[in-house]
Amino acid sequence: MRTAIVTATLLLVSGCGATVAQDASKADPVTVTNCGQQVTFDKVPSKVVTNDTGITELMFALGLKDRMAGYVVDGDNTVDLQTSPWKADFDSAKKLADKISKEVVQGANADLVFAGWSYGFSESSGFTPDALKQLGIGTYQLTEACRNGAGKQRGIMPALDALYTDLRNLGKIFRVEARAEALIKGYQQQIDNAAKVMAGKPRPKVFLYDSGQDQPFTSGRNAAPQDVIGKAGGDNIFGDLDDSWTTVNWETVVQRDPEVVLIVDYADGEANTPAQKQAFLEGFAPLRNSPAIKNKRFYALPYAALVESPRNPASIEAFAKYLASA
């Protein structure tokens, strides 16, 4: 078995640099269901502030850059922007800040903030949909990060369903329904093609390793890696957890005996590079007998490919090809 630390450049040709004309005749209010609540938009938002790479790429994929006041992305997350199929859009759109805040969105005169819980929204920072409502600023919440009623756990539907839900909702809000449906159709075909790569082959047990040495941070069944792994032909070892991104313990990782490790590539510091993460796992004594470690089966994808984003289908395709060849 060979070691494969790969940061894939995921090209989605159909989404790159798209520009979609708005139909000004469709001026009636529209209502969508967002995180279980009916939300009405009286007009097409024209000064949207997005937070995080994947969320911003949803707007770019729909050709909505001209509806944005700007975006907020962590300045250290260079791999996301370098590998983005919408790099030209990131370069030409306005970056507002590294961290989102009330001051940032007010300074941009935002009429809509597109973010999610732990993707910008947080009680601890005071940046919440309720707080923005008091300022007269509308919000749209990332469906992957919707809270499901069990404390602060997140996720109310399978990851790809969340992606399609947001594309359809955004299509309706911005009057680009045809564009949204065309994207979804293309993504579904891409995923169907990826399924053929591993058809009839054993499904390896996959451990999604985001970060953490004392306790690992990983993905439950409600975050994008669940479908990236599952649709590629593997099984997420924490697919039984009714949560999205969450902390577990090493004892459980060892017990579940992963055969492949999928690493999140942030490239935001030496300790967080895929090579550093692989070195830690290879030197972590409790895992030394797991098949993933013994056979050096590691694969890495950029952060934006492993959160809800239009990169998910290409991530599935890339990971399926790795599983089939490793």
Side-chain angles (χ1 to χ4, degrees):
M1 294 293 182
R2 62 185 183 277
T3 301
I5 285 291
V6 181
T7 299
T9 301
L10 303 173
L11 297 178
L12 304 179
V13 177
S14 63
C16 296
T19 300
V20 177
Q22 305 298 323
D23 186 348
S25 68
K26 295 184 178 180
D28 293 337
V30 298
T31 300
V32 299
T33 301
N34 183 213
C35 290
Q37 296 186 343
Q38 297 290 297
V39 183
T40 298
F41 295 82
D42 293 329
K43 61 181 181 179
V44 179
S46 61
K47 295 182 179 179
V48 183
V49 172
T50 57
N51 184 73
D52 211 35
T53 319
I55 288 171
T56 305
E57 289 180 346
L58 284 169
M59 295 289 287
F60 291 159
L62 287 165
L64 297 172
K65 186 182 71 171
D66 63 344
R67 291 287 175 179
M68 294 171 56
Y71 65 89
V72 176
V73 171
D74 192 319
D76 290 331
N77 205 346
T78 56
V79 164
D80 273 2
L81 302 189
Q82 290 169 354
T83 62
S84 177
W86 299 274
K87 187 176 185 299
D89 286 333
F90 276 112
D91 290 343
S92 59
K94 185 175 183 180
K95 181 178 179 181
L96 300 173
D98 288 347
K99 302 294 182 184
I100 201 163
S101 66
K102 295 176 188 176
E103 292 74 20
V104 168
V105 299
Q106 284 180 301
N109 198 24
D111 58 3
L112 180 70
V113 172
F114 182 11
W117 290 106
S118 296
Y119 294 87
F121 294 138
S122 167
E123 285 96 351
S124 62
S125 67
F127 191 80
T128 66
D130 286 343
L132 292 174
K133 184 178 181 179
Q134 293 176 9
L135 298 174
I137 302 172
T139 55
Y140 183 85
Q141 299 182 45
L142 185 75
T143 297
E144 181 192 41
C146 293
R147 288 180 172 169
N148 58 28
K152 294 184 178 180
Q153 291 182 7
R154 296 171 294 157
I156 60 174
M157 64 182 70
L160 287 174
D161 289 351
L163 172 64
Y164 301 152
T165 293
D166 284 334
L167 287 170
R168 288 192 171 106
N169 280 348
L170 293 168
K172 189 174 182 180
I173 292 165
F174 291 95
R175 282 65 165 181
V176 291
E177 293 97 328
R179 174 65 180 169
E181 291 301 329
L183 287 173
I184 291 168
K185 183 177 179 180
Y187 295 157
Q188 290 171 333
Q189 184 61 60
Q190 192 171 18
I191 292 165
D192 288 345
N193 292 340
K196 298 173 185 176
V197 175
M198 282 288 288
K201 297 183 179 181
R203 298 179 67 87
K205 294 181 292 183
V206 181
F207 168 45
L208 186 285
Y209 183 47
D210 177 283
S211 57
Q213 297 190 355
D214 293 334
Q215 290 184 298
F217 195 61
T218 188
S219 166
R221 69 168 177 252
N222 301 331
Q226 173 73 8
D227 276 350
V228 171
I229 293 167
K231 298 296 184 182
D235 290 319
N236 176 13
I237 64 170
F238 289 105
D240 60 328
L241 298 182
D242 188 18
D243 203 349
S244 60
W245 297 88
T246 188
T247 299
V248 295
N249 59 65
W250 286 114
E251 290 80 3
T252 307
V253 176
V254 173
Q255 290 169 2
R256 298 188 178 190
D257 208 25
E259 297 167 280
V260 177
V261 178
L262 178 57
I263 293 174
V264 183
D265 183 5
Y266 290 98
D268 57 358
E270 189 172 306
N272 267 327
T273 64
Q276 289 288 338
K277 290 178 182 179
Q278 178 178 340
F280 166 73
L281 293 172
E282 289 181 322
F284 187 57
L287 276 176
R288 67 163 61 99
N289 292 320
S290 73
I293 304 304
K294 289 193 295 184
N295 296 321
K296 296 185 180 296
R297 297 191 70 184
F298 299 89
Y299 190 78
L301 285 167
Y303 163 80
L306 290 166
V307 294
E308 183 198 321
S309 83
R311 297 199 211 190
N312 295 156
S315 304
I316 292 167
E317 190 173 45
F319 193 45
K321 290 176 180 178
Y322 169 74
L323 293 179
S325 64

